Amino acid sequence: MAEHRVRRLQRVMTEVGIDTALFSTGPDLYYLTGHSGRVSERLTMLGVPAIGEPWLVVPRLEAPLVPEGGLELMVWDETTDPVGLVAARCRNARRVAIGDHTWSVFLVGLMSRLADVKWSVGSDLTRRLRVIKDESELAALASAGAAMDRALDRVPDEIRFQGRSEAEVAGDLRRLTVEEGHDTAEFAIVASGPNGASPHHSPGERLIETGDVVVCDFGGSLDGYQSDVTRTFTVGDPSPEAIEVHEVVREANRAGRRAAAPGVPCQEVDRAAREVIERAGLGEHFIHRTGHGIGIEVHEHPYLVEGNTEMLAAGMTFSVEPGVYLPGRFGVRIEDIVACTESGLTELNQADRGLIVVS
Ligand code: ZN
Ligand code: ZN
Ligand code: ZN
């Protein structure tokens, strides 16, 4: 158990008047206990009372996976009703927060047994903790970012694009992600030619041709923390238009990073990046927010989006990833992970941001 994190959670709970917080398998459980658990029909659930000691309801066959120390285990056998165990522990609670990743089958079961409870979402509590990374989290994110930089460095020499399918190239990117030190490769988007206009394109059988612009967005997990980086490649010499659009996106990426500092509202980072793209007359083709927080999850708070007036603060980590998507033709995105510090910003990715020529 991460004792200091649980105590901080309890302080927040007392502040906002939550009696018990419940977390099923997911990022909050990992953050608070170091236990990843398994997402399944067998209930694992952490209970944190505002005052007192936390407990964990866990299936017998997964109890050996729980890290030792500080957690009262309520181990249940195959014939026991685990929802009943949780409900019994919440008997005296009036206000209960429940983790965002809880399956509805468990929540609905709890709601029917705890008719008088007023429910709220767990992320209202945990986002306040998780949004500010501590030293060990920053170190893990920095290692993950550095591993991605090394992977990117290898791409032009080691990965052939021309004549191969997007899916094959995505497989290569996943392999580099793991070879450079990630525990797992979590995702790899390879969006070539017209497919590049779809920001979350799923790599398929399209064969990559000379002249294609190819958006590669990939990342992995290292010590429980995520990486997420995007570079845009061209197969052979780029067209003048590809060079021009890429230069605009690169400038937008730079403007976004420059705008980010402690005390700056999240939406200002989005505005800074967007303004560059709008000035180039491409505003209608930048169809998503500028960035997202990253940590145990690839996407988490804070979100760098118009309307988010939350202030950046030291310890926040997030992506800056402007893009331009031209339907039927091509897309360009450049994405980096950065960490907000007392004095400004640390770049967790520093790989070359140019338009990279591959063969
Ligand atoms: Zn994305
Ligand atoms: Zn990405
Ligand atoms: Zn991203």
Side-chain angles (χ1 to χ4, degrees):
M1 180 176 81
E3 171 96 29
H4 57 291
R5 292 177 182 171
V6 171
R7 299 303 167 215
R8 280 182 58 212
L9 174 69
Q10 289 178 314
R11 281 199 292 277
V12 174
M13 289 168 66
T14 303
E15 227 176 280
V16 299
I18 299 290
D19 302 314
T20 302
L22 301 173
F23 301 99
S24 188
T25 310
D28 288 330
L29 179 70
Y30 180 74
Y31 180 78
L32 294 166
T33 66
H35 180 51
S36 324
R38 293 173 75 93
V39 177
S40 85
E41 77 290 356
R42 289 188 176 101
L43 179 65
T44 293
M45 188 162 268
L46 172 72
V48 181
I51 297 160
E53 296 308 313
W55 41 268
L56 184 74
V57 165
V58 63
R60 166 100 38 215
L61 72 171
E62 289 166 19
L65 304 176
V66 180
E68 275 183 32
L71 210 48
E72 178 197 343
L73 294 191
M74 299 166 69
V75 177
W76 61 272
D77 292 295
E78 297 283 50
T79 54
T80 309
D81 164 29
V83 171
L85 289 180
V86 175
R89 292 298 293 250
C90 296
R91 254 188 335 263
N92 300 319
R94 283 291 156 267
R95 292 189 60 195
V96 177
I98 185 135
D100 297 20
H101 289 249
T102 311
W103 283 8
S104 59
V105 66
F106 301 131
L107 174 58
V108 171
L110 285 167
M111 289 173 96
S112 69
R113 285 169 168 90
L114 299 167
D116 297 331
V117 158
K118 190 171 180 309
W119 296 89
S120 60
V121 295
S123 59
D124 285 349
L125 306 172
T126 54
R127 64 174 285 191
R128 294 168 58 169
L129 278 59
R130 283 177 48 198
V131 78
I132 305 291
K133 271 66 182 178
D134 62 28
E135 288 301 317
S136 71
E137 295 183 289
L138 289 170
L141 286 159
S143 302
M148 285 314 267
D149 283 351
R150 294 193 300 273
L152 276 168
D153 271 353
R154 292 173 56 185
V155 171
D157 288 339
E158 296 184 32
I159 299 185
R160 187 164 177 82
F161 284 66
Q162 199 274 324
R164 295 177 72 226
S165 71
E166 294 173 338
E168 286 173 301
V169 172
D172 286 346
L173 294 176
R174 286 173 179 270
R175 177 175 52 79
L176 294 187
T177 301
V178 171
E179 282 179 7
E180 289 302 337
H182 287 84
D183 301 313
T184 54
E186 295 287 322
F187 65 94
I189 296 171
V190 175
S192 66
N195 291 341
S198 165
H200 279 177
H201 174 68
S202 171
E205 294 314 307
R206 183 181 184 276
L207 295 180
I208 299 171
E209 303 163 10
T210 301
D212 277 352
V213 176
V214 188
V215 178
C216 295
D217 181 348
F218 58 120
S221 175
L222 197 164
D223 291 340
Y225 286 79
Q226 311 299 312
S227 61
D228 180 9
V229 68
T230 308
R231 290 293 182 267
T232 302
F233 300 82
T234 67
V235 185
D237 291 334
S239 68
E241 192 188 19
I243 294 172
E244 204 180 301
V245 173
H246 189 274
E247 198 40 58
V248 171
V249 175
R250 186 177 180 167
E251 182 55 39
N253 170 292
R254 190 182 301 132
R257 283 181 286 116
R258 288 224 176 118
V264 172
C266 288
Q267 66 180 5
E268 292 300 331
V269 177
D270 183 81
R271 287 176 182 176
R274 199 166 299 279
E275 195 204 311
V276 173
I277 293 173
E278 280 171 355
R279 231 189 300 125
L282 294 166
E284 63 174 307
H285 299 298
F286 179 16
I287 54 175
H288 56 71
R289 66 192 174 209
T290 292
H292 54 82
I294 186 167
I296 296 171
E297 292 175 280
V298 187
H299 290 185
E300 58 181 46
H301 293 287
Y303 294 102
L304 293 304
V305 63
E306 180 66 35
N308 186 3
T309 54
E310 185 179 1
M311 303 252 213
L312 291 175
M316 289 185 180
T317 50
F318 51 90
S319 73
V320 176
E321 53 176 307
V324 166
Y325 307 94
L326 304 173
R329 295 161 64 212
F330 67 92
V332 172
R333 179 165 65 254
I334 304 173
E335 172 177 27
D336 295 294
I337 304 302
V338 298
C340 195
T341 64
E342 300 291 350
S343 55
L345 208 69
T346 302
E347 296 175 352
L348 303 186
N349 292 113
Q350 298 182 8
D352 191 291
R353 297 184 179 93
L355 182 54
I356 304 160
V357 178
V358 290
S359 55

